[in-house]
Amino acid sequence: MCDHTTVDAGYQPVKSADRTLEVLEVLASSPNRRGLGELARELGIPKSSLHGILRTMAKRGWVEADPTGTRFGLGVRALQVGAAYLDADSAVGLVAGVLDELAAEFGETVHLGRLDGAHVVYLAKRESVHPLRLFSAIGRRLPAHATALGKVLLAERSAAQLDAILPDPLPTLTPRTITDRAALDADLARVREQGYAVDHEENTDGIACFAVAVPYRQPATDAISISVPVARLRPGTAESMIAALRRGVTQLRSARSLVEDHHA
């Protein structure tokens, strides 16, 4: 489900619209098509009502069914809207050149990510040139506390904001994921002090990641990162990547005034 909250205490959602958006969010978070029964159970929507919603969404191209007509996934309209979001986002365009430079320098996977509640979402990426690399996809959402991108952005939030954002308990992705809140708070304090975050195989086994925040907004909503298999880490590799990320941020500061703050 989505992490978005409303500042209007009297807010009451339109039930049909709310259910439709819940269907989209669940399908977007599912790697495989979902059956009517399992969707109904997860969303708490009667099968008859959900079937009508899915039929309407399928007719408009938001949902597609498999050949049996019993399992559902996102349709092409969802792709079009996602692409339109990225095309209209000035930050994605302004960061593109820095992502290109980082990818060319190291040959490793490079990401631009945005904080979305307790998650971080990949907005842009540059693929590694190596067969052994991190699997990722634009639009993928990951728990922020388990990624360098997410931690460098969480570090810019106050304790009260973190209490409101972070789930309890913190989910585990790998044996190295920080799931103790006190330990995470200590890690975020180090991030604030040093100005960058490190993911030590906390999101994916065998992958390390280094990230810095993009200073377009305060607190920052976006960050850039380099991900590298630990098998390719050599003495000085981490330091070189962090230094390059910082140089990229220095370049981006000059373009800060050009970014339309339409996510405020």
Side-chain angles (χ1 to χ4, degrees):
M1 304 300 289
C2 187
D3 298 301
H4 301 310
T5 57
T6 177
V7 295
D8 182 0
Y11 166 76
Q12 289 293 329
V14 176
K15 191 172 183 179
S16 58
D18 200 49
R19 284 181 166 180
T20 300
L21 294 173
E22 284 184 329
V23 171
L24 284 174
E25 290 167 2
V26 168
L27 293 180
S29 67
S30 303
N32 303 306
R33 295 182 185 272
R34 305 289 295 276
L36 178 64
E38 60 180 318
L39 283 172
R41 287 190 298 274
E42 181 169 344
L43 294 170
I45 301 175
K47 277 189 180 182
S48 57
S49 299
L50 181 58
H51 188 258
I53 292 171
L54 289 168
R55 286 189 63 188
T56 301
M57 295 172 73
K59 189 71 173 177
R60 298 290 297 269
W62 286 92
V63 166
E64 293 177 354
D66 69 357
T68 68
T70 60
R71 301 189 68 80
F72 303 88
L74 291 179
V76 70
R77 284 286 182 271
L79 173 62
Q80 291 175 323
V81 169
Y85 175 88
L86 294 176
D87 289 343
D89 194 291
S90 51
V92 174
L94 287 169
V95 174
V98 170
L99 298 183
D100 291 339
E101 291 175 10
L102 292 170
E105 181 174 354
F106 296 102
E108 301 292 352
T109 304
V110 179
H111 286 111
L112 167 67
R114 177 164 293 162
L115 192 66
D116 178 33
H119 293 77
V120 66
V121 180
Y122 292 141
L123 298 185
K125 69 174 290 189
R126 300 295 183 269
E127 198 69 77
S128 170
V129 299
H130 303 283
L132 177 62
R133 60 194 178 193
L134 172 69
F135 169 77
S136 63
I138 294 173
R140 188 180 183 194
R141 297 173 79 244
L142 293 167
H145 73 282
T147 68
L149 285 167
K151 287 195 292 182
V152 80
L153 295 171
L154 290 175
E156 299 215 356
R157 272 65 191 172
S158 67
Q161 288 173 318
L162 292 175
D163 288 341
I165 290 172
L166 293 172
D168 183 18
L170 295 168
T172 301
L173 275 68
T174 77
R176 293 177 179 264
T177 304
I178 300 174
T179 56
D180 178 75
R181 177 59 190 275
L184 178 63
D185 288 341
D187 194 25
L188 295 181
R190 286 191 293 271
V191 172
R192 294 184 192 102
E193 181 179 351
Q194 62 197 17
Y196 63 87
V198 181
D199 156 12
H200 295 284
E201 301 183 70
E202 296 157 46
N203 169 41
T204 304
D205 286 323
I207 299 291
C209 187
F210 312 93
V212 296
V214 176
Y216 287 155
R217 304 179 183 95
Q218 293 299 325
T221 57
D222 300 346
I224 55 176
S225 70
I226 305 173
S227 299
V228 55
V230 294
R232 282 202 294 274
L233 284 176
R234 299 291 181 267
T237 300
E239 292 78 6
S240 296
M241 290 182 170
I242 292 164
L245 287 165
R246 284 175 159 160
R247 288 195 300 272
V249 165
T250 298
Q251 295 177 42
L252 293 171
R253 279 198 179 95
S254 62
R256 178 178 176 180
S257 63
L258 301 177
V259 179
E260 297 175 359
D261 196 11
H262 51 76
H263 295 286

